[in-house]
Amino acid sequence: MRKPIIVGNWKMNKTMKETKEFIEAVDPAAASENATFGIGAPFTALSTAVAAANNLIIAAENCHFEDSGAFTGEVSVPMLQEVAVTHCIIGHSERRTMFGDTDETVNKKAKRLIEAGITPILCIGETEAQYDAGESEKVIRDQLTGSLADMCAKCVADIVIAYEPIWAIGTGKSASVEIAENCCRIVRDQVKVMYGEEAAEKVRVQYGGSVKPNNIAEYMAQPDIDGALIGGASLKADSFIEIIEKTK
Ligand code: PGA
């Protein structure tokens, strides 16, 4: 049985003060044996979030694959280890489109995180033009081929993959349950092609893109959707608590 994992992705939102208030309000609701709940926070808020959380897992939203060096503005995996985050989002579409992340750099980041014992939440997903052209499956398989290259099957089994169609992110235009399930099933199948049945059965696949309190339950009812990566609806304590309660 795969344990569901719901993670909020705050993006460039929340100061340390706001982070403390949010975590204190939400953390008690996140106590659960049956599912994992967490928050992806900006670098500056990570220490505050880790200190305030007892039940929520805390994720960084990016990392660099080198440990140190002349990379102005970047944060390395050893730095994240020191802050004691357990998870790190990598390859989010906003990072791929605005900050130059590629399958190759995402692959390097994933490997470095695994080496450090931090679980990558690896994001993939097609653009609206690719969706309209019927290329979703090809894009998903190609992105995974690059992002998951040369890893061990056991490592891949332990990561989280977030399927996020770009046309559904922040648009309110969530993918239908059928599309989300079908694409998450393709993700799992591609893991099977690359790393075998056992890794495919164990890897957790999230859907992301305009997930809200009113649609979380139908996504979670799908056999290949093991969780969600949630942007907008994770910013308000009330709505994130509602999502948690509907998942428990
Ligand atoms: P959204 O964002 O829930 O606001 O659509 C999802 C994401 O970017 O991870």
Side-chain angles (χ1 to χ4, degrees):
M1 247 328 248
R2 296 183 292 269
K3 192 173 182 181
I5 178 164
I6 306 279
V7 179
N9 174 15
W10 281 352
K11 311 189 179 188
M12 197 174 72
N13 289 291
K14 294 204 190 288
T15 61
M16 288 190 277
K17 182 171 175 287
E18 290 163 345
T19 298
K20 189 165 182 286
E21 285 165 8
F22 181 101
I23 302 282
E24 283 172 359
V26 173
D27 194 74
S32 171
E33 296 281 302
N34 306 324
T36 301
F37 301 101
I39 284 296
F43 291 130
T44 48
L46 288 176
S47 291
T48 306
V50 169
N54 289 310
N55 301 306
L56 289 161
I57 57 106
I58 305 300
E61 299 176 11
N62 182 37
C63 66
H64 198 280
F65 49 83
E66 295 289 351
D67 283 359
S68 62
F71 302 102
T72 303
E74 291 293 308
V75 168
S76 73
V77 173
M79 294 169 188
L80 295 181
Q81 276 182 301
E82 195 176 32
V83 182
V85 299
T86 54
H87 291 65
C88 183
I89 299 167
I90 50 172
H92 189 279
S93 62
E94 286 149 21
R95 298 223 50 95
R96 290 176 186 259
T97 53
M98 291 187 271
F99 303 103
D101 277 14
T102 63
D103 291 334
E104 197 186 337
T105 57
V106 170
N107 180 244
K108 288 184 186 172
K109 293 177 186 196
K111 286 175 177 159
R112 185 64 191 91
L113 286 165
I114 289 165
E115 196 186 330
I118 298 175
T119 304
I121 300 173
L122 194 162
C123 305
I124 55 152
E126 80 282 4
T127 62
E128 182 147 39
Q130 289 165 330
Y131 172 77
D132 288 341
E135 291 170 1
S136 304
E137 176 162 0
K138 185 180 176 333
V139 172
I140 290 169
R141 290 192 188 275
D142 285 353
Q143 286 182 331
L144 289 175
T145 299
S147 304
L148 296 178
D150 305 320
M151 288 163 62
C152 75
K154 212 186 142 301
C155 303
V156 173
D158 287 337
I159 75 170
V160 177
I161 300 173
Y163 165 67
E164 299 201 299
I166 295 171
W167 46 271
I169 294 177
T171 58
K173 206 169 102 185
S174 55
S176 70
V177 171
E178 293 74 26
I179 292 172
E181 163 61 16
N182 186 47
C183 290
C184 288
R185 192 188 47 74
I186 292 166
V187 169
R188 197 176 306 288
D189 185 68
Q190 184 60 25
V191 170
K192 184 174 161 192
V193 169
M194 296 174 73
Y195 293 103
E197 180 93 45
E198 216 178 303
E201 281 308 310
K202 204 167 164 222
V203 72
R204 287 178 296 170
V205 183
Q206 295 176 319
Y207 164 72
S210 299
V211 175
K212 309 270 183 244
N214 66 4
N215 60 18
I216 183 70
E218 48 185 356
Y219 289 120
M220 293 308 294
Q222 303 305 306
D224 286 295
I225 301 179
D226 308 313
L229 190 58
I230 301 168
S234 73
L235 288 172
K236 290 217 164 65
D238 288 358
S239 96
F240 200 58
I241 288 173
E242 211 179 323
I243 287 171
I244 290 173
E245 295 299 345
K246 290 192 167 154
T247 307
K248 271 190 192 167

